[in-house]
Each structure stands twice: as C-alpha cells, then as structure tokens.
C-alpha cells in the first residue's frame, strides 16, 4: 500500500504540474484574449464616440450658430426638418418652428412699418406672449388710426365751416367797406353843403351890413 501510495503521490504531482502548466497557458491565452478584446473595445468606444459626436455635436453646433445669429437679430434661412426621431431631431424641429414664428413676426412688423394694418396675427398658444403683444399692438394701431380718421374728418368739417365763415366775413367786410365809402361820400357832400351854406351866410351877412350902412347913411 505504501508503494501504491508513493506511486499515486508521484502521479498526483505529475498531474498537478500538468494542470499548473495548462492553467498557466490558459491564463496567458486569456490575458492575451482580454488584451485584444480590450483594444477592440477601446477602438469601438472611440469609433462610437466619434460617430455620436458627429451625429449629435454637428447638429448642435449648427443650432448654436443659428441661435447666435438670432441673438443679434439675423434670422437664418429656413431649413428642412431632420428626419431623426431622437432628441436631436426633436430639438431641430422645435428650433425650426421657433425660427418660422420669428420670421413671420418679422414680416408682420415690416408690413406694419409700411402702414399696412390689415395683417391678422393668431397667437400660437395661450402662452404666446409675443403673438399676443403683436395682436394687441395691431388692434391698438387700428383703433388709433380710426380715431385719427375721425379727428381728420372733424377737422375737415371745422375747416369747411371756418372757410364758410371767413367767406361770410369777407363779404361783410366788403359791404362794410362799401358802406364806409358811401358814408365818406355823404360826409364830403355834407361838408361841401355846409361850406356853401357858410359862404352864403357870409354873403348875406355882408349884404346885411351894407344895407345897414346904407340905411344909416
């Protein structure tokens, strides 16, 4: 039994050495495999990151540039909506709707600046403060224009009445001037008549004096 035990012990050592060698080889292979897989994973991560950056950062950069232009008052031209259904596509479509609304408001403001108050502004929602403000502004401008038209009509009527009164005053002034002229003529005639009467009275007085003198003589 001792010999068998020694033989089994030797065999166990041999098997243990073989298992250790096999384990070492497998560990080395596994380490190499993990290294290759790690490198592939890093490469795939870099590739996926680059693709995500290109697919997300690119549209975000374009949206940022458009937002910068809008911030300085330069409305960018309209672009087609992206066909993507992710968050970037939703953001691009929302930004497109905002740009279209701003361009519409700019066109409305231009027509109002040209004096066209026939524009109709419909707020996009109950929270559309800009649309409500534009609608209220157009309504107030229409009311103000209507009041101005009424004031102009009243002024025109008043001007017509003033013109009529002025014409009447001019006619009255003409009549007054004619009456003054006639009065002046009459006064001149009275003055001449009075002068003639004075001359005649003087002549009569002189005749009376001569008659008195002759009577005394």
């Amino acid at each position: 039994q001792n010999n068998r035990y020694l033989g089994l012990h030797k065999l166990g050592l041999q098997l243990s050495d073989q298992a250790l060698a096999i384990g070492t080889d497998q560990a080395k292979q596994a380490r190499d495999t993990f290294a290759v897989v790690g490198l592939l994973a890093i490469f795939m991560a870099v590739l996926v990151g680059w693709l995500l950056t290109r697919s997300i950062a690119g549209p975000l950069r374009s949206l940022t540039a458009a937002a910068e232009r809008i911030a300085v008052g330069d409305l960018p031209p309209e672009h087609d909506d992206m066909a993507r259904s992710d968050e970037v596509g939703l953001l691009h479509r929302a930004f497109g709707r905002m740009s279209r609304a701003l361009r519409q408001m700019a066109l409305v403001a231009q027509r109002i600046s040209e004096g066209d108050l026939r524009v109709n502004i419909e707020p996009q929602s109950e929270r559309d403060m800009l649309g409500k403000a534009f609608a209220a502004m157009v309504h107030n401008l229409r009311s103000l224009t209507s009041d101005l038209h009424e004031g102009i009509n009243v002024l025109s009527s008043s001007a017509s009445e003033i013109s009529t009164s002025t014409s009447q005053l001019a006619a009255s002034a003409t009549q007054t001037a004619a009456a003054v002229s006639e009065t002046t003529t009459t006064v001149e005639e009275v003055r001449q008549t009075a002068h003639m009467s004075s001359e005649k009275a003087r002549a009569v007085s002189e005749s009376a004096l001569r008659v008195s003198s002759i009577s005394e003589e």
Side-chain angles (χ1 to χ4, degrees):
Q1 293 296 331
N2 187 26
N3 292 329
R4 291 179 179 177
Y5 170 74
L6 292 176
L8 290 174
H9 184 266
K10 184 179 181 180
L11 180 61
L13 292 176
Q14 292 176 356
L15 292 175
S16 176
D17 292 337
Q18 291 178 0
L20 180 61
I22 293 172
T24 302
D25 292 337
Q26 290 179 352
K28 184 179 180 180
Q29 291 178 1
R31 185 170 61 250
D32 295 338
T33 302
F34 281 126
V36 173
V37 171
L39 291 176
L40 290 176
I42 293 174
F43 176 75
M44 291 299 296
V46 172
L47 180 61
V48 170
W50 180 75
L51 292 175
L52 289 176
T53 302
R54 183 177 179 181
S55 62
I56 295 176
L60 289 180
R61 280 196 297 268
S62 64
L63 290 178
T64 303
E68 291 292 337
R69 293 179 60 182
I70 291 175
V72 297
D74 182 13
L75 295 178
E78 186 173 358
H79 296 288
D80 296 333
D81 293 333
M82 298 180 66
R84 296 169 57 170
S85 59
D86 57 355
E87 288 77 6
V88 176
L90 294 175
L91 178 62
H92 195 277
R93 285 191 287 273
F95 196 87
R97 290 195 299 271
M98 182 188 70
S99 300
R100 285 191 291 271
L102 290 175
R103 278 192 295 271
Q104 183 179 2
M105 290 300 174
L107 292 176
V108 169
Q110 183 178 1
R111 292 180 61 183
I112 291 174
S113 66
E114 294 173 354
D116 186 6
L117 298 179
R118 295 173 297 176
V119 293
N120 292 322
I121 301 175
E122 294 293 336
Q124 298 184 5
S125 65
E126 292 294 330
R127 295 176 293 179
D128 187 5
M129 298 179 63
L130 183 61
K132 289 183 178 180
F134 262 91
M137 181 182 69
V138 172
H139 177 71
N140 293 333
L141 287 174
R142 288 174 180 173
S143 300
L144 181 61
T145 304
S146 178
D147 294 339
L148 287 175
H149 279 298
E150 292 180 359
I152 290 172
N153 292 330
V154 172
L155 288 175
S156 177
S157 178
S158 300
S160 178
E161 293 178 358
I162 291 172
S163 178
T164 302
S165 300
T166 303
S167 300
Q168 293 177 355
L169 287 174
S172 300
T174 302
Q175 294 176 359
T176 302
V180 169
S181 178
E182 293 177 358
T183 303
T184 303
T185 303
T186 303
V187 169
E188 183 64 24
E189 291 177 354
V190 171
R191 188 183 66 80
Q192 292 179 0
T193 303
H195 181 69
M196 292 176 62
S197 299
S198 176
E199 292 293 332
K200 291 182 179 180
R202 185 179 297 109
V204 171
S205 177
E206 291 176 354
S207 299
L209 288 175
R210 288 197 299 270
V211 169
S212 176
S213 178
I214 291 171
S215 300
E216 287 179 359
E217 291 178 357

